Amino acid sequence: MTLTSGGHDALDTEQHRQFLESGYLVLPGLVPEPLGARLVPEVDRWVDDGLRARSIAACADPARYGPPPLLELELPAHGELLTHPALLRMLSRLMGPSFVFHHLHSDRQAPGIPGKSWHHDCEPNDRSDPSLLMIHALHYLGGLDEKVGSLAVLPGSHRRTVGKAAFAHHGTAELPGEVVIDRLPAGSTVLLNSALFHTRRPAPEGPGRPRYFIDASYCQVGARWRPVKPYWRQMLARARELGLAAGQWPELFAERHFTEYTRTV
């Protein structure tokens, strides 16, 4: 496993080169401990109160369920994580000063949950321009170890123009050239080029402890991106109402960077 860290506010030339070439960057302990301590009970509430299930239903059948009663970014610590200054400064060094928030997911994955097959998470833009970056920030609040499971990535696979499920027939099997990330301290973040193929693997020794996981994605401006949530306008508007961008990131919650929502399978 290769870890890359650079002081959380500094992105040196080697880190930038690694991200462009390999498609990922590992940032141990990016999430400050006090923020992580506030995030965990928010994730518990999100799962235990049925809010996560309600948000999924709102996407699966928007005509029946409508927008969810609460958004992840309305949870105070989640909103702070979404706009964590060190994270946004890192993203600005990778994508330039103008980028837009795409979506946020939060989950407490139960011990023994099956793995997730090889896939990528990149959404298309209306210019079909692969040079424009979409980046996922994968936050592991409790870290990764033998009791939680691992993340495997396939360096360089972001340069292939193929569908999200092109490698799904491999399941979670080992692939030539993969890198396994299985030792991370609490509060660590992995930045992925969203077109990079990756897979979630369960704990090798059987059920251990829950995996507290939050992912947030951001897109480079320059084209209009396809949203994945039918209530995306409400989500961006609420972020603006809450002042999450703090006046420093004028494009972060701007609607003009998106196409209309189209449901996909």
Side-chain angles (χ1 to χ4, degrees):
M1 179 184 75
T2 302
L3 292 184
T4 306
S5 180
H8 297 165
D9 279 349
L11 180 68
D12 60 32
T13 302
E14 177 59 22
Q15 285 180 304
H16 201 173
R17 182 198 63 78
Q18 178 191 332
F19 183 83
L20 293 177
E21 292 185 3
S22 67
Y24 76 100
L25 194 62
V26 181
L27 304 169
L30 177 71
V31 181
E33 186 175 346
L35 177 57
R38 292 170 52 223
L39 284 163
V40 168
E42 287 189 354
V43 176
D44 286 334
R45 178 191 175 194
W46 185 250
V47 174
D48 294 336
D49 289 1
L51 294 168
R52 181 174 184 274
R54 181 64 178 78
S55 71
I56 293 172
C59 294
D61 193 347
R64 178 180 179 183
Y65 293 101
L70 187 72
L71 304 171
E72 291 103 321
L73 59 77
E74 292 182 291
L75 299 168
H78 277 66
E80 288 183 33
L81 178 65
L82 171 61
T83 55
H84 181 45
L87 172 64
L88 297 189
R89 285 192 289 268
M90 186 71 70
L91 292 173
S92 72
R93 285 162 172 79
L94 294 171
M95 291 193 286
S98 295
F99 50 92
V100 63
F101 164 67
H102 192 272
H103 69 271
L104 179 67
H105 288 148
S106 184
D107 195 11
R108 184 190 65 214
Q109 296 161 347
I113 188 174
K116 186 171 183 179
S117 298
W118 286 97
H119 66 286
H120 75 68
D121 295 304
C122 193
E123 297 296 329
N125 61 68
D126 65 354
R127 285 178 49 190
S128 299
D129 186 351
S131 70
L132 291 175
L133 286 174
M134 181 179 190
I135 293 178
H136 272 63
L138 311 183
H139 304 288
Y140 297 95
L141 302 185
L144 290 177
D145 57 30
E146 70 282 353
K147 293 185 178 181
V148 176
S150 62
L151 169 71
V153 299
L154 196 60
S157 59
H158 60 298
R159 293 193 290 268
R160 308 180 189 185
T161 305
V162 293
K164 292 182 178 183
F167 294 171
H169 60 285
H170 294 292
T172 63
E174 181 179 348
L175 294 182
E178 72 171 36
V179 171
V180 178
I181 302 169
D182 59 1
R183 289 291 186 278
L184 287 179
S188 293
T189 299
V190 180
L191 297 183
L192 294 184
N193 182 312
S194 301
L196 186 77
F197 279 89
H198 56 286
T199 183
R200 181 188 72 224
R201 292 190 178 133
E205 300 178 0
R209 59 186 176 89
R211 181 191 303 214
Y212 282 83
F213 173 74
I214 301 173
D215 83 76
S217 64
Y218 307 80
C219 301
Q220 192 172 14
V221 303
R224 295 193 305 152
W225 295 84
R226 183 172 69 187
V228 295
K229 296 179 183 288
Y231 50 88
W232 64 275
R233 279 195 174 88
Q234 174 186 333
M235 181 175 64
L236 294 177
R238 187 66 179 128
R240 295 193 301 269
E241 290 172 2
L242 292 170
L244 295 184
Q248 298 181 16
W249 308 93
E251 301 302 317
L252 192 59
F253 302 113
E255 295 181 11
R256 61 181 171 273
H257 301 298
F258 295 96
T259 64
E260 292 300 318
Y261 171 78
T262 302
R263 186 178 178 185
T264 58
V265 178

Coordinates of all heavy atoms in Angstrom, one line a residue, residues 31-47 72-85 106-107 139-142 186-187 212-214 242 244:
V31 N -9.4 14.7 8.1 CA -10.5 15.2 8.9 C -10.0 15.4 10.3 O -9.6 14.5 11.0 CB -11.7 14.2 8.8 CG1 -12.9 14.8 9.6 CG2 -12.1 13.9 7.4
P32 N -10.1 16.6 10.8 CA -9.7 16.9 12.2 C -10.5 16.0 13.2 O -11.6 15.8 13.0 CB -9.9 18.4 12.4 CG -10.0 19.0 11.0 CD -10.6 17.9 10.2
E33 N -9.8 15.6 14.3 CA -10.4 14.7 15.2 C -11.7 15.3 15.8 O -12.7 14.6 15.9 CB -9.4 14.4 16.3 CG -9.9 13.4 17.3 CD -8.9 12.9 18.3 OE1 -7.7 13.2 18.1 OE2 -9.3 12.3 19.3
P34 N -11.7 16.6 16.2 CA -13.0 17.1 16.8 C -14.2 17.1 15.7 O -15.3 16.8 16.1 CB -12.6 18.6 17.1 CG -11.2 18.6 17.3 CD -10.6 17.6 16.3
L35 N -13.9 17.3 14.5 CA -14.9 17.3 13.4 C -15.3 15.8 13.3 O -16.5 15.5 13.2 CB -14.4 17.8 12.1 CG -15.4 17.8 10.9 CD1 -16.7 18.4 11.3 CD2 -14.7 18.4 9.7
G36 N -14.4 14.9 13.2 CA -14.7 13.5 13.1 C -15.6 13.0 14.3 O -16.6 12.2 14.1
A37 N -15.4 13.5 15.5 CA -16.1 13.1 16.6 C -17.6 13.6 16.5 O -18.5 13.0 17.1 CB -15.5 13.6 17.9
R38 N -17.8 14.7 15.8 CA -19.2 15.2 15.6 C -19.8 14.5 14.5 O -21.1 14.4 14.4 CB -19.1 16.7 15.4 CG -18.7 17.5 16.7 CD -18.4 19.0 16.4 NE -19.5 19.6 15.7 CZ -19.4 20.4 14.6 NH1 -18.2 20.7 14.1 NH2 -20.5 20.9 14.0
L39 N -19.1 14.1 13.5 CA -19.6 13.4 12.3 C -20.2 12.1 12.7 O -21.3 11.7 12.1 CB -18.6 13.3 11.2 CG -18.3 14.5 10.5 CD1 -16.9 14.4 9.7 CD2 -19.4 14.9 9.5
V40 N -19.6 11.3 13.5 CA -20.0 9.9 13.8 C -21.5 9.9 14.3 O -22.3 9.1 13.8 CB -19.0 9.2 14.8 CG1 -19.6 7.9 15.3 CG2 -17.7 9.0 14.1
P41 N -21.8 10.7 15.3 CA -23.3 10.6 15.8 C -24.2 11.1 14.7 O -25.4 10.7 14.7 CB -23.3 11.5 17.0 CG -22.1 12.3 17.0 CD -21.0 11.5 16.3
E42 N -23.8 12.0 13.8 CA -24.6 12.4 12.7 C -24.9 11.3 11.8 O -26.0 11.1 11.2 CB -24.0 13.6 12.0 CG -24.1 14.9 12.8 CD -23.7 16.2 12.0 OE1 -23.3 16.0 10.8 OE2 -23.9 17.3 12.5
V43 N -23.8 10.5 11.5 CA -24.0 9.4 10.6 C -25.0 8.4 11.3 O -25.8 7.8 10.6 CB -22.7 8.7 10.3 CG1 -22.9 7.4 9.5 CG2 -21.8 9.7 9.5
D44 N -24.8 8.1 12.6 CA -25.7 7.2 13.3 C -27.1 7.7 13.1 O -28.0 6.9 12.9 CB -25.3 7.2 14.8 CG -24.1 6.3 15.0 OD1 -23.8 5.5 14.2 OD2 -23.4 6.6 16.0
R45 N -27.4 9.0 13.3 CA -28.7 9.5 13.2 C -29.2 9.3 11.7 O -30.4 8.9 11.5 CB -28.7 11.0 13.5 CG -30.1 11.6 13.4 CD -30.1 13.1 13.4 NE -31.4 13.7 13.1 CZ -31.6 15.0 12.9 NH1 -30.6 15.9 12.9 NH2 -32.8 15.4 12.6
W46 N -28.4 9.6 10.8 CA -28.8 9.5 9.4 C -29.2 8.0 9.1 O -30.2 7.8 8.3 CB -27.6 9.9 8.5 CG -27.8 9.9 7.0 CD1 -27.4 9.0 6.1 CD2 -28.6 10.9 6.3 NE1 -27.8 9.4 4.9 CE2 -28.6 10.5 5.0 CE3 -29.3 12.0 6.7 CZ2 -29.2 11.3 4.0 CZ3 -30.0 12.7 5.7 CH2 -29.9 12.4 4.4
V47 N -28.5 7.1 9.6 CA -28.9 5.7 9.4 C -30.0 5.2 10.2 O -31.0 4.7 9.8 CB -27.6 4.8 9.6 CG1 -28.0 3.3 9.4 CG2 -26.6 5.1 8.5
E72 N -28.2 15.6 3.8 CA -27.0 15.3 4.5 C -26.3 16.6 4.9 O -25.8 16.8 6.0 CB -26.0 14.5 3.7 CG -26.5 13.0 3.5 CD -27.0 12.8 2.1 OE1 -27.7 13.7 1.6 OE2 -26.8 11.7 1.6
L73 N -26.3 17.6 3.9 CA -25.5 18.8 4.2 C -26.2 19.7 5.2 O -25.6 20.7 5.6 CB -25.3 19.5 2.8 CG -26.5 20.0 2.0 CD1 -27.2 21.2 2.5 CD2 -26.0 20.2 0.5
E74 N -27.5 19.4 5.6 CA -28.1 20.2 6.6 C -27.7 19.7 8.0 O -27.9 20.4 9.0 CB -29.6 20.0 6.5 CG -30.2 20.7 5.3 CD -31.7 20.7 5.2 OE1 -32.2 19.5 4.9 OE2 -32.4 21.7 5.3
L75 N -27.0 18.5 8.1 CA -26.4 18.1 9.4 C -25.2 19.0 9.6 O -24.3 19.0 8.7 CB -26.1 16.6 9.3 CG -27.2 15.7 9.1 CD1 -26.7 14.3 8.7 CD2 -28.1 15.6 10.3
P76 N -25.1 19.7 10.7 CA -24.0 20.7 10.8 C -22.6 20.2 10.5 O -21.8 20.9 9.8 CB -24.1 21.1 12.3 CG -25.6 20.9 12.6 CD -26.0 19.6 11.9
A77 N -22.2 19.1 11.1 CA -20.8 18.6 10.8 C -20.6 18.1 9.4 O -19.5 18.3 8.8 CB -20.5 17.5 11.8
H78 N -21.7 17.6 8.8 CA -21.6 17.2 7.4 C -21.4 18.4 6.5 O -20.6 18.4 5.5 CB -22.9 16.4 7.0 CG -22.9 15.0 7.3 ND1 -22.9 14.5 8.6 CD2 -22.8 13.9 6.5 CE1 -22.9 13.2 8.6 NE2 -22.9 12.8 7.4
G79 N -22.1 19.5 6.8 CA -21.9 20.7 6.1 C -20.5 21.2 6.2 O -19.9 21.7 5.2
E80 N -19.9 21.1 7.4 CA -18.5 21.5 7.6 C -17.6 20.7 6.8 O -16.6 21.2 6.3 CB -18.2 21.5 9.1 CG -18.9 22.6 9.9 CD -18.5 22.6 11.4 OE1 -17.3 22.2 11.7 OE2 -19.3 22.9 12.2
L81 N -17.8 19.4 6.8 CA -16.9 18.5 6.1 C -17.0 18.8 4.6 O -15.9 18.8 3.9 CB -17.3 17.0 6.3 CG -16.5 16.0 5.6 CD1 -15.0 16.0 6.1 CD2 -17.1 14.6 5.8
L82 N -18.2 19.0 4.1 CA -18.3 19.3 2.7 C -17.5 20.5 2.2 O -16.9 20.5 1.1 CB -19.8 19.6 2.4 CG -20.2 20.1 1.1 CD1 -19.9 19.1 0.0 CD2 -21.7 20.4 1.0
T83 N -17.3 21.5 3.1 CA -16.6 22.7 2.8 C -15.3 22.9 3.7 O -14.9 24.0 3.9 CB -17.5 23.9 2.9 OG1 -18.1 23.9 4.3 CG2 -18.6 23.9 1.9
H84 N -14.8 21.8 4.2 CA -13.6 21.8 5.0 C -12.5 22.5 4.3 O -12.1 22.2 3.1 CB -13.2 20.4 5.3 CG -12.0 20.3 6.2 ND1 -11.8 21.1 7.3 CD2 -10.9 19.5 6.1 CE1 -10.7 20.8 7.9 NE2 -10.1 19.8 7.2
P85 N -12.0 23.6 4.8 CA -11.0 24.5 4.1 C -9.8 23.7 3.5 O -9.4 24.0 2.4 CB -10.6 25.5 5.2 CG -11.7 25.6 6.1 CD -12.3 24.2 6.2
S106 N -23.7 9.6 2.8 CA -23.2 9.2 4.1 C -23.8 7.9 4.5 O -24.9 7.6 4.3 CB -23.7 10.3 5.1 OG -23.2 10.1 6.4
D107 N -22.9 7.0 5.2 CA -23.4 5.7 5.5 C -22.6 5.1 6.7 O -21.4 5.5 6.9 CB -23.3 4.8 4.3 CG -24.1 3.5 4.5 OD1 -24.9 3.4 5.4 OD2 -24.0 2.6 3.6
H139 N -14.2 9.8 2.6 CA -13.8 10.0 4.0 C -14.1 8.8 4.8 O -15.2 8.4 4.9 CB -14.5 11.2 4.6 CG -14.4 12.5 3.8 ND1 -13.2 13.2 3.7 CD2 -15.3 13.2 3.0 CE1 -13.4 14.3 3.0 NE2 -14.6 14.3 2.5
Y140 N -13.1 8.3 5.5 CA -13.2 7.1 6.3 C -13.0 7.5 7.8 O -11.9 7.7 8.3 CB -12.2 6.0 6.0 CG -12.4 5.5 4.5 CD1 -11.6 6.0 3.5 CD2 -13.3 4.5 4.3 CE1 -11.8 5.6 2.2 CE2 -13.5 4.0 3.0 CZ -12.8 4.6 2.0 OH -13.0 4.1 0.7
L141 N -14.2 7.8 8.4 CA -14.1 8.4 9.8 C -13.4 7.5 10.8 O -12.7 8.0 11.7 CB -15.5 8.7 10.3 CG -16.4 9.6 9.4 CD1 -17.7 9.9 10.0 CD2 -15.6 10.9 9.0
G142 N -13.6 6.2 10.7 CA -12.9 5.3 11.6 C -11.7 4.6 11.0 O -11.1 3.7 11.6
A186 N -8.0 6.9 11.6 CA -9.3 7.6 11.7 C -9.2 8.9 11.0 O -8.2 9.6 11.1 CB -9.8 7.7 13.1
G187 N -10.2 9.3 10.3 CA -10.3 10.6 9.7 C -9.5 10.8 8.4 O -9.2 11.9 8.0
Y212 N -17.6 3.7 9.0 CA -18.3 5.0 8.9 C -17.7 5.7 7.6 O -16.4 5.9 7.6 CB -18.0 5.8 10.1 CG -18.9 5.4 11.3 CD1 -18.6 4.3 12.1 CD2 -20.1 6.1 11.6 CE1 -19.4 4.0 13.2 CE2 -20.9 5.8 12.6 CZ -20.6 4.7 13.4 OH -21.4 4.3 14.4
F213 N -18.5 6.0 6.7 CA -18.1 6.4 5.4 C -18.9 7.5 4.8 O -20.1 7.5 4.9 CB -18.2 5.2 4.4 CG -17.9 5.5 3.0 CD1 -16.6 5.7 2.6 CD2 -18.9 5.5 2.0 CE1 -16.3 6.0 1.2 CE2 -18.6 5.8 0.7 CZ -17.3 6.0 0.3
I214 N -18.2 8.6 4.4 CA -18.9 9.7 3.8 C -18.1 10.0 2.5 O -16.9 10.1 2.5 CB -18.9 11.0 4.7 CG1 -19.6 10.7 6.0 CG2 -19.5 12.2 4.0 CD1 -19.5 11.8 7.0
L242 N -27.6 28.2 3.8 CA -26.8 27.9 5.0 C -25.5 28.6 5.0 O -24.7 28.6 6.0 CB -26.6 26.4 5.2 CG -27.8 25.6 5.5 CD1 -27.5 24.1 5.4 CD2 -28.4 25.9 6.9
L244 N -22.8 27.8 3.3 CA -21.7 26.9 3.4 C -20.4 27.3 2.7 O -19.3 26.9 3.1 CB -22.1 25.5 3.0 CG -23.2 24.8 3.8 CD1 -23.5 23.4 3.3 CD2 -22.9 24.8 5.3

